[in-house]
Amino acid sequence: MPKNSWVNTNENKYQLHVTIPTIDSTIESENVDNRVVYIGDLEKRKQAYGICGECKEPGTGYKWCQSCNAKRLKDNFKNWTSGNKDIDEFIQQSQLNAVHYTKYLEWIPFEKFQNITYIAEGGFSKIYSAEWPEGYIDHWDIENQKWYREQYYSKYALKSLDNSSDICSDFLNEIKSHLQIYFVDIVQCYGITQDPNNKEYMMVIYYCNDGNLRNYLNKSKNYIKYGSKMFDLQRIARGLLDIHNAEKVHKDFHSGNILFSSIPYISDLGMCRPANIKQTVKEEGIYGVLPYMAPEVLRGQQYTKAADIYSFGMIMNEFLSEEIPFNDIPHDEFLAIEICKGLRPTISKDMPKLLADLIIKCWNAEIKNRPTIKELYQTLKGLYNYNTCELYFQIKEYDKISKEKFENRSNEDKYKRFKTHPQAIYTSRLLNFKNLPKPVDSLDLSSFLFSSNTSYTAQSTSANPISECLDCEIKRIRTK
């Protein structure tokens, strides 16, 4: 029996697992954080993940050897089945190809779960919470020759898609997206189970106990400082960067799909699709949450990475201002028309100008004028280190004003802030609009940007209201 365990691991310097490169993918990621380890780079794998105590080869992830684990997992195929050939093959392939536990799926019998509780229903799915005492596989314990299961988390989320008893392609597509995207800022999927009562298949995913972004803001008993929000926005942007680096688009990016468990995670990859494949918009319409959808998408045009950026701008403004976009009007064709004409949500009069400018840039009606996710992430990362720039003074003043407002806010004011119109719908649904006008930017910025001082007056802002400081920063990133 082998006695040696893993040696020389340095997981803090690198990603938790290697990347298997494909054409043009992951290159951008390496340029951003310099943490990518390619599966063929043996020397870097030794530095990052150490040497397997059994086969003496470099690991492919923290305490994970792909070749050794694939063999023992394959030997175990005969000991389990979901009862569905497609699911069995799907899970088996994930196990054979897994370079780390985050890329490994397992079939989890439903009886392994306890205290199953209904949480909510979304546009296409139902969510439950459940306890899983056994926990997920983390690594192979070489000394004791058995799987080590992580039991730190007691609660997990079970997600069933509508009509998943027929194991539709959308169900497997969502799970596949979890496997193809680097996981740190994405909600992790651990496996698949099936409810024996209604025969619906369920994804077993990480449970975020603070709920979505709106729940997180609504439940917060303490003022959330701007520095903390900037850190969270960085993580959300990094998660979207990982999605785009995998050459995918999210397609349903809104605050309901930003979940919190102290830190934010991107969830619901059900509509996530390859970005480089031209997709035909079905005649019956498009799916999404109207306030977060880019105007060109509302008109039925191709969904691109730039549409995700528009949605990010909406999420960013909602997070920073704690105001729900278009919460006091119906989400109907009239709103879709006004969005195409340049209508955008109100930006808080006290918001630091550099951040307001970045939001407006994301909202630009012209796709080419929106930042890429790499530019957006690096800009946010730079702005987060605001001690050396003018943003420090803006944020210091904003925090002072906002904290006073927060502490003096009554329960009634808080209720009004999160109250929505009966016809304001924030779950994904089928939308079908005809003959919407060509998207333009509003020349009257006062329609969504209210003045509190001279730096925010409409007269001092051109039709392209991006500060010189922010434009220079994005140009610098593009020339790297």
Side-chain angles (χ1 to χ4, degrees), residues 70-84:
K71 291 174 184 175
R72 60 177 58 97
L73 289 167
K74 185 175 182 180
D75 290 341
N76 193 49
F77 285 174
K78 62 182 179 295
N79 295 325
W80 63 267
T81 180
S82 68
N84 181 293

Side-chain angles (χ1 to χ4, degrees), residues 59-94:
T60 54
Y62 178 60
K63 292 189 177 181
W64 195 277
C65 176
Q66 181 184 20
S67 59
C68 289
N69 287 344
K71 291 174 184 175
R72 60 177 58 97
L73 289 167
K74 185 175 182 180
D75 290 341
N76 193 49
F77 285 174
K78 62 182 179 295
N79 295 325
W80 63 267
T81 180
S82 68
N84 181 293
K85 182 174 179 290
D86 292 334
I87 290 183
D88 284 356
E89 291 179 354
F90 182 77
I91 293 175
Q92 288 169 4
Q93 283 302 309
S94 81

Side-chain angles (χ1 to χ4, degrees), residues 107-294:
W107 173 253
I108 309 165
F110 199 72
E111 59 267 22
K112 300 260 186 182
F113 298 102
Q114 301 173 0
N115 299 322
I116 300 169
T117 306
Y118 171 80
I119 297 178
E121 184 169 356
F124 312 106
S125 62
K126 297 183 184 69
I127 307 293
Y128 303 81
S129 67
E131 294 175 4
W132 183 20
E134 185 179 39
Y136 63 86
I137 283 178
D138 183 87
H139 64 270
W140 178 255
D141 183 344
I142 295 177
E143 286 82 5
N144 297 304
Q145 289 292 288
K146 66 178 183 179
W147 290 109
Y148 171 81
R149 288 186 173 271
E150 180 57 72
Q151 298 175 336
Y152 177 79
Y153 304 112
S154 60
K155 191 178 287 188
Y156 294 79
L158 306 181
K159 177 180 179 180
S160 67
L161 295 188
D162 294 344
N163 302 315
S164 63
S165 58
D166 296 328
I167 199 59
C168 62
S169 59
D170 288 340
F171 181 83
L172 292 181
N173 177 76
E174 179 167 1
I175 302 174
K176 190 180 297 182
S177 294
H178 281 269
L179 297 177
Q180 294 171 337
I181 299 167
Y182 188 58
F183 83 103
V184 169
D185 303 301
I186 310 292
V187 169
Q188 188 181 339
C189 178
Y190 300 97
I192 304 174
T193 189
Q194 183 183 35
D195 186 334
N197 296 316
N198 56 24
K199 303 302 180 184
E200 287 195 346
Y201 291 98
M202 295 174 158
M203 297 170 56
V204 181
I205 56 180
Y206 178 68
Y207 178 79
C208 294
N209 55 353
D210 292 320
N212 63 32
L213 186 146
R214 199 167 303 153
N215 299 141
Y216 174 69
L217 294 174
N218 196 20
K219 292 191 301 184
S220 178
K221 295 179 180 179
N222 300 312
Y223 172 69
I224 305 172
K225 289 186 176 182
Y226 238 63
S228 176
K229 289 183 177 181
M230 290 290 292
F231 175 77
D232 289 339
L233 284 168
Q234 258 191 92
R235 291 188 65 102
I236 297 170
R238 190 175 65 183
L240 188 59
L241 174 63
D242 287 328
I243 291 173
H244 287 189
N245 280 340
E247 290 305 319
K248 289 179 176 288
V249 285
H250 190 286
K251 292 193 69 176
D252 196 23
F253 206 47
H254 57 84
S255 63
N257 286 336
I258 304 298
L259 303 183
F260 277 79
S261 186
S262 299
I263 55 177
Y265 296 91
I266 296 175
S267 72
D268 201 346
L269 304 181
M271 293 176 64
C272 196
R273 293 293 186 273
N276 56 357
I277 297 177
K278 190 170 183 180
Q279 298 151 29
T280 303
V281 177
K282 296 180 180 178
E283 290 186 6
E284 66 265 23
I286 51 176
Y287 287 92
V289 179
L290 179 54
Y292 301 85
M293 298 174 72

Side-chain angles (χ1 to χ4, degrees), residues 186 210 221 253 263 298 322 326 338 354 374 417 427:
I186 310 292
D210 292 320
K221 295 179 180 179
F253 206 47
I263 55 177
L298 294 174
E322 300 191 14
F326 305 126
E338 292 304 309
L354 282 169
K374 177 184 175 183
R417 177 179 290 262
T427 55

Side-chain angles (χ1 to χ4, degrees), residues 17 35 82 245 251 275 288 305 447 477:
H17 60 77
R35 295 181 65 205
S82 68
N245 280 340
K251 292 193 69 176
K305 293 178 180 179
S447 65
I477 293 168

